[in-house]
Amino acid sequence: MLSCHAVVTAHAEGPGILQSYLPLQVPPGYATGLKYKGKGLSSPPNATRRGYGYIRRKRDVLANLGAGMNTSQIAHEACNTTDILERDCIDVLLLSLTPAAYSSNNTADTPGGLALISPAQKQGDCAACVGFAVTAAAEAANNVYKQQSWQKLNLSEQDLCFCKEEQAVQWASRDCFKFTFRNDEDCFPVSAYGACSGPGASQMPPGGRLSVAYNGNALSSMAMVKEQIMLNGGVFTSMALSGADFVRFVDYKTAASGVFTAAQSIPAGADQMHAVFCYGWWDNPRSESDGYWLCKNSWSEAWGLRGSFKIAYGSAYIMQSDYTFALQYAWTSITAQATQIKQRLVQGSLMRDAGTPGCVMYTAPQRIRLVKLTADLTTLAFTAALPALHMRKAEVLTELVASNLGHLRSLSAASRGPFKLCGRTVQLLSGVLFSGDLNNCVENVEAPACQRCARQIAAGHGHTCVLLNNGRVECAGYNAHGELGLGRADKDTHSRLAPATVLDGINISSVGVGDGFTCVLGAPSEGNKVYCFGFGGIGQLGNGLSTSSVVPVAVKGLRQSLPIKQLAVGISYACVVYDAPEPGAARASVQCWGEHFGTTLAQAEDLVDSAEVTALAASWLGPCAVLKNRTAVCWHQEVLYGGEYNPTPRDSGLTDVDSRGGEVYCWGANNYGQLGQGYTNGTVVSYIGSSTPLRVKGLSYLNVTALFGGDSYCAVTAAQRVFCWGDNQNGMLGIAASTDAITLPAAMQGLCA
């Protein structure tokens, strides 16, 4: 009989480094698993299953409590105590976030609808089952992290154990997870995963490493095992069988239900150990303590259920706490991991819960489970700079369960929410994501945490400007005429927002951009003032000249008798709309300047009754007005190139405006990806797009509150995040360096931070 020793090592954040020696036993004809040297089967029978029936009963009681329970009441109902840190309390709460049945290979169960688990491999005669089990766990953890199906990743088991009659020793490095074999006779280590070298390493995500969950400690309860299966795809564990039961397992002789069972009383020295990877479970609804694990073997797809098998809870020492571990993919720095979590969370939307003061509703950008949200918030709490924001996992777990009881139909189902966040979790999100009160950024724009959130976006032909809550304007894109407000003209592209310093000292209420120029409307305290800068070759700056300027110039001739209620800037012209007068007073007016209007203000009273105007849009071809009766009229050129200007208003035929629940629909040309579908159509001279409105992808459930743009579009969410797509030839979207098109919405950098 062959034998060798395995060394399991793990690097994890904090204490709990695992380093255990496992003598392998190989029965005739089949390769099997492992056993801790000096431990044997020291765990009591059913250690991981302990008290499962009781915990399930308490979980069911908890699920029926409904809304309005505080954390102390939750703790009392979960474990008859006010100390939520007790292990049984945590297990009841964790179990409330797990469904009665789950499989990481069932597309109906996984949040992304993905099959995460690769088919069973064949270990042959090599005593390498532990290598196959750990490799399966490594693949699953990476597939979960990358949100990809199992076909995308195929790690080599030989990176963990290669059968060869040769002496060699390889130890784990300090900065990655590594599983190696210390050779006695037939196991030869080749390389490892994570930040280590070797064939497997090139298939791992960059910037991080594999580690053992729970700081390298074994999983000691069924709730922890189920949690890790949902979070990381599966766990690797060991079975222990008597000789007779092992023969039954080899032949896969099961009960009529197809579930394998075996006793936990094994004669001393007669046990056979075998490592497997488990990725699902089923709870018997008719028995509180009954059910089975769904596991993958390493004896090929020809064995069992295409290489997998069902094993009853507690049978054959399955899931013993000394032998059960989960792998997770994590960034080398937990701070970097927290940053990634923040970026993912802020893509969702946060809205005040009108029905519960002090609570907010979080809608995720993609389907997520509360068990995952718990893990993410726990990481954020651990890395929070302010001690007041630190929360232990049990506290986060309790807050989420208490807040969502009676709100969600199921605490365990995957959904976008909205999830309810109350108590300290709101403070955590406020402090970590926005360094302030995320509830009041719309109403309390002067709050320090809200100063760099966007009040307005102006997306133009070659540049984009943002009006922040602090009253400053910042721009990105092309600057050939000084349109970015930097006080100079240059031929560089600026792909990150930079302050328009030429506007310092001007109180601004609105900003608009055209092709090579920018205009701002002064705040009421400034009087009726509009300032423009950049290209002015055809009167776009409104100062009576046909010259450009890198510093702001005041638009001449603006009326002072009625306040300006809107500034609208087109590709080569701009307009203002005056507020409606008192009944019986003289009719208000729309005034414009630039192309077709001249270098000074032209009256547009003959074009539209501005008293009926609720909003004015400045399109490429000319202005369009939305009227009080919810119709729109436009005046524009007949032909795009070389046509005569027609000042006659035209009824657009629009009879209503459908907000479609805050989502965004686009139609028309798509040469720059303006439709937000992930692709482009046509060219600037041969338009191909869609005459049917298409829902912009990636904005669903983000609660878009405002939309700005032309060849490029930017949407502002209720959380005051900004997502842009379309023409980015000059880097004007503030997302990335110059590129012809960004075809799906992406977050503008540097805002709300």
Side-chain angles (χ1 to χ4, degrees):
M1 182 179 295
L2 303 176
S3 67
C4 64
H5 289 80
V7 179
V8 184
T9 64
H11 176 74
E13 300 288 344
I17 303 301
L18 172 68
Q19 186 164 334
S20 306
Y21 295 85
L22 311 165
L24 297 179
Q25 304 260 337
V26 185
Y30 281 89
T32 63
L34 42 135
K35 180 168 62 175
Y36 279 105
K37 183 178 182 180
K39 282 185 177 254
L41 296 176
S42 61
S43 298
N46 296 327
T48 302
R49 187 184 176 190
R50 104 185 167 277
Y52 185 56
Y54 166 79
I55 292 173
R56 274 186 65 180
R57 288 195 300 274
K58 298 297 287 185
R59 185 274 311 271
D60 294 341
V61 169
L62 189 67
N64 292 320
L65 290 178
M69 302 290 290
N70 60 38
T71 55
S72 297
Q73 292 170 318
I74 292 293
H76 182 268
E77 295 296 335
C79 51
N80 300 322
T81 179
T82 58
D83 184 5
I84 200 63
L85 299 180
E86 286 192 8
R87 180 70 258 173
D88 283 351
C89 288
I90 297 173
D91 284 350
V92 171
L93 293 173
L94 272 180
L95 208 61
S96 71
L97 306 186
T98 63
Y102 181 85
S103 168
S104 293
N105 226 26
N106 186 340
T107 57
D109 287 346
T110 58
L114 301 169
L116 302 168
I117 310 305
S118 62
Q121 304 297 306
K122 185 175 182 179
Q123 70 183 84
D125 292 331
C126 176
C129 59
V130 68
F132 281 76
V134 175
T135 298
E139 290 177 339
N142 278 273
N143 290 337
V144 169
Y145 171 78
K146 289 183 175 181
Q147 281 298 283
Q148 65 184 18
S149 61
W150 64 265
Q151 294 96 334
K152 298 289 186 180
L153 182 68
N154 183 19
L155 298 178
S156 170
E157 289 77 13
Q158 288 189 357
D159 280 3
L160 298 186
C161 182
F162 182 77
C163 293
K164 187 175 182 180
E165 292 185 1
E166 181 176 330
Q167 295 293 319
V169 175
Q170 184 167 337
W171 298 92
S173 69
R174 298 181 62 183
D175 63 350
C176 65
F177 174 85
K178 194 167 185 179
F179 197 104
T180 67
F181 282 81
R182 176 182 288 179
N183 184 290
D184 276 355
E185 188 169 351
D186 68 337
C187 294
F188 174 65
V190 183
S191 109
Y193 301 132
C196 306
S197 60
S202 63
Q203 302 181 68
M204 307 294 277
R209 45 110 178 107
L210 280 170
S211 65
V212 178
Y214 281 99
N215 288 329
N217 295 308
L219 306 178
S220 58
S221 72
M222 288 186 78
M224 293 169 69
V225 171
K226 291 182 175 183
E227 172 206 36
Q228 289 302 308
I229 289 176
M230 293 176 69
L231 287 178
N232 295 300
V235 303
F236 60 96
T237 187
S238 178
M239 302 165 58
L241 304 99
S242 66
D245 282 336
F246 183 74
V247 171
R248 289 179 53 242
F249 184 67
V250 168
D251 295 335
Y252 197 50
K253 293 183 177 179
T254 69
S257 62
V259 179
F260 180 79
T261 59
Q264 288 200 355
S265 56
I266 301 173
D271 53 300
Q272 310 293 338
M273 302 292 292
H274 184 49
V276 294
F277 171 74
C278 298
Y279 58 91
W281 70 83
W282 176 81
D283 290 339
N284 188 341
R286 295 185 297 274
S287 174
E288 295 165 343
S289 300
D290 188 27
Y292 63 74
W293 299 109
L294 179 61
C295 306
K296 183 171 75 169
N297 204 352
S298 50
W299 292 349
S300 84
E301 289 189 85
W303 180 88
L305 305 173
R306 298 198 64 182
S308 292
F309 63 100
K310 301 172 183 177
I311 181 169
Y313 291 155
S315 285
Y317 289 84
I318 189 77
M319 299 295 176
Q320 289 292 86
S321 57
D322 284 338
Y323 299 90
T324 304
F325 300 90
L327 294 186
Q328 62 187 7
Y329 183 83
W331 291 97
T332 302
S333 163
I334 195 170
T335 303
Q337 185 176 355
T339 299
Q340 185 195 47
I341 291 172
K342 293 177 192 176
Q343 293 172 348
R344 184 168 64 247
L345 288 176
V346 297
Q347 291 176 3
S349 67
L350 287 158
M351 304 269 305
R352 189 194 340 242
D353 179 14
T356 312
C359 297
V360 298
M361 307 301 291
Y362 172 68
T363 302
Q366 298 176 332
R367 290 205 310 162
I368 192 174
R369 294 180 187 270
L370 270 180
V371 69
K372 174 61 174 172
L373 188 58
T374 299
D376 287 347
L377 293 182
T378 301
T379 299
L380 293 184
F382 181 79
T383 57
L386 296 177
L389 300 178
H390 292 176
M391 297 176 68
R392 288 168 289 193
K393 181 176 181 177
E395 295 170 315
V396 175
L397 185 58
T398 308
E399 290 275 15
L400 288 181
V401 171
S403 301
N404 288 281
L405 276 175
H407 166 65
L408 297 177
R409 291 184 59 187
S410 169
L411 296 181
S412 63
S415 71
R416 290 187 174 93
F419 304 104
K420 181 178 285 191
L421 304 176
C422 303
R424 293 181 65 194
T425 54
V426 174
Q427 299 171 15
L428 174 64
L429 281 176
S430 303
V432 172
L433 297 186
F434 296 98
S435 301
D437 184 359
L438 57 85
N439 280 306
N440 297 320
C441 278
V442 174
E443 298 174 2
N444 184 17
V445 296
E446 296 181 358
C450 306
Q451 291 298 285
R452 286 196 54 77
C453 290
R455 188 191 309 175
Q456 182 196 357
I457 308 294
H461 188 64
H463 70 297
T464 298
C465 292
V466 181
L467 176 60
L468 304 176
N469 281 338
N470 62 13
R472 300 291 301 273
V473 170
E474 297 191 3
C475 303
Y478 203 44
N479 193 46
H481 309 284
E483 56 264 49
L484 299 189
L486 304 178
R488 68 180 189 276
D490 58 56
K491 295 296 180 69
D492 298 331
T493 57
H494 303 261
S495 59
R496 290 293 183 268
L497 292 173
T501 54
V502 298
L503 294 172
D504 289 351
I506 301 176
N507 294 320
I508 300 167
S509 63
S510 178
V511 61
V513 301
D515 186 6
F517 73 104
T518 302
C519 295
V520 296
L521 172 64
S525 60
E526 297 274 335
N528 278 0
K529 296 286 188 181
V530 175
Y531 302 90
C532 299
F533 51 92
F535 181 62
I538 48 178
Q540 299 96 316
L541 303 189
N543 63 341
L545 303 175
S546 297
T547 58
S548 300
S549 175
V550 297
V551 296
V553 297
V555 174
K556 294 182 178 181
L558 292 170
R559 293 185 174 184
Q560 300 300 309
S561 58
L562 293 172
I564 296 173
K565 69 176 182 180
Q566 186 187 358
L567 167 70
V569 180
I571 192 169
S572 54
Y573 66 94
C575 300
V576 292
V577 181
Y578 292 94
D579 204 356
E582 295 294 331
R587 189 174 63 177
S589 63
V590 176
Q591 290 184 302
C592 303
W593 63 94
E595 186 177 19
H596 304 299
F597 296 102
T599 60
T600 56
L601 291 173
Q603 303 301 319
E605 292 179 340
D606 57 330
L607 303 183
V608 63
D609 182 354
S610 65
E612 297 297 317
V613 173
T614 61
L616 188 69
S619 71
W620 190 348
L621 300 180
C624 292
V626 177
L627 306 182
K628 287 181 179 179
N629 63 5
R630 299 183 69 80
T631 63
V633 294
C634 302
W635 54 101
H636 54 76
Q637 290 170 279
E638 287 289 339
V639 183
L640 181 60
Y641 297 107
E644 295 297 324
Y645 187 70
N646 185 341
T648 304
R650 305 206 174 166
D651 191 332
S652 70
L654 293 177
T655 58
D656 199 4
V657 178
D658 184 3
S659 66
R660 296 183 186 265
E663 294 183 343
V664 176
Y665 286 73
C666 293
W667 61 96
N670 195 39
N671 51 302
Y672 291 119
Q674 302 98 307
L675 301 186
Q677 300 300 304
Y679 57 84
T680 61
N681 294 100
T683 67
V684 293
V685 295
S686 178
Y687 293 138
I688 300 175
S690 174
S691 58
T692 301
L694 301 176
R695 184 171 62 185
V696 175
K697 295 181 177 179
L699 294 179
S700 298
Y701 305 100
L702 288 181
N703 291 327
V704 172
T705 59
L707 181 67
F708 307 93
D711 286 340
S712 306
Y713 289 94
C714 292
V716 182
T717 72
Q720 296 202 318
R721 299 287 293 170
V722 177
F723 294 83
C724 301
W725 67 99
D727 183 9
N728 193 48
Q729 292 182 87
N730 301 297
M732 65 272 203
L733 297 188
I735 294 169
S738 300
T739 182
D740 286 346
I742 293 178
T743 59
L744 291 173
M748 184 176 284
Q749 303 300 302
L751 297 180
C752 277

